[in-house]
Amino acid sequence: MNLPRRARLLGGGALLLSPAAMLASASNGHDYEVNSLDQKTYGVDVSFPHHHARVSTNYDFLPHNNPAYASPTHPNYVSTPEEFKEMPVQRLGNRQDFYDHFLEGCRHHENDQAEECDATEHDRIEMNLRQPESVVNYTDIGFKKIKAPPKVFKAIKEFWEANKGREEVEEWFAGNTYTNHWES
């Protein structure tokens, strides 16, 4: 899947090119899928809403996700309910509470413009569905950690040293949910 990237400076002059959102395929299978770095992946809408306005509630402890009963011939077999058929298994706990708290923080911060938080969330999710097809992926998994070329690292370090201590608070439009600026 093609994903947008942004560059981030790491210690020792390493540069990490990473996707804004790592979208991995996952199914209701009982094992984690892994990427080419042998990292567990868990799918869309598991850690935070990316394609829908809710995170997965298909918890790994639900009876239909019990690998011991996976065979339809097992006496305790439970088929996957319709509501969970296309939903990845949720192994990260109740992430919906985290998301709800995130949105409530925005609404509280915006006060009389709280509805803008919901409108921006709707737009963010729509963009997540549209944008990936227009971006080129330069690696198999969407990022690669490399040592920054000395000339690039020198320019970044010089910029940092020249501007250190001159940070300014970023201003965000009403209802912006792309960052949790109301807490940071």
Side-chain angles (χ1 to χ4, degrees):
M1 183 172 284
N2 297 330
L3 299 170
R5 279 164 209 57
R6 59 183 165 200
R8 181 170 57 132
L9 182 66
L10 299 176
L15 196 62
L16 177 66
L17 302 175
S18 65
M22 189 83 179
L23 306 179
S25 65
S27 66
N28 285 4
H30 303 292
D31 295 321
Y32 280 105
E33 294 181 20
V34 295
N35 63 21
S36 62
L37 295 177
D38 203 33
Q39 298 166 325
K40 292 178 181 177
T41 63
Y42 44 79
V44 176
D45 296 333
V46 174
S47 64
F48 202 77
H50 292 286
H51 288 178
H52 302 94
R54 298 191 60 79
V55 296
S56 173
T57 54
N58 186 16
Y59 297 106
D60 56 356
F61 57 78
L62 293 173
H64 65 273
N65 287 324
N66 186 334
Y69 309 144
S71 170
T73 59
H74 191 282
N76 293 325
Y77 172 75
V78 176
S79 64
T80 303
E82 197 61 39
E83 67 186 291
F84 298 124
K85 287 201 182 207
E86 299 299 320
M87 193 181 288
V89 175
Q90 175 57 271
R91 294 180 170 93
L92 302 178
N94 187 348
R95 296 296 295 172
Q96 188 63 45
D97 278 352
F98 175 85
Y99 179 62
D100 292 343
H101 173 77
F102 171 82
L103 276 181
E104 281 306 313
C106 180
R107 292 176 188 129
H108 177 75
H109 176 76
E110 296 302 342
N111 207 3
D112 61 339
Q113 292 183 299
E115 71 281 352
E116 294 297 325
C117 299
D118 298 295
T120 302
E121 265 303 277
H122 178 266
D123 293 345
R124 181 188 67 81
I125 290 168
E126 288 295 314
M127 183 190 67
N128 285 345
L129 295 170
R130 273 190 331 270
Q131 192 178 44
E133 65 190 37
S134 67
V135 180
V136 176
N137 218 2
Y138 294 103
T139 66
D140 290 341
I141 60 172
F143 68 92
K144 183 176 183 179
K145 182 179 176 181
I146 61 170
K147 185 158 179 89
K151 186 176 178 179
V152 173
F153 185 72
K154 182 177 184 263
I156 293 170
K157 190 167 177 65
E158 286 173 356
F159 178 86
W160 169 253
E161 292 300 331
N163 292 286
K164 192 168 35 174
R166 296 172 53 192
E167 299 86 2
E168 295 179 13
V169 174
E170 290 181 305
E171 295 294 326
W172 296 94
F173 62 84
N176 183 290
T177 57
Y178 287 78
T179 66
N180 63 339
H181 61 92
W182 54 90
E183 288 185 12
S184 55

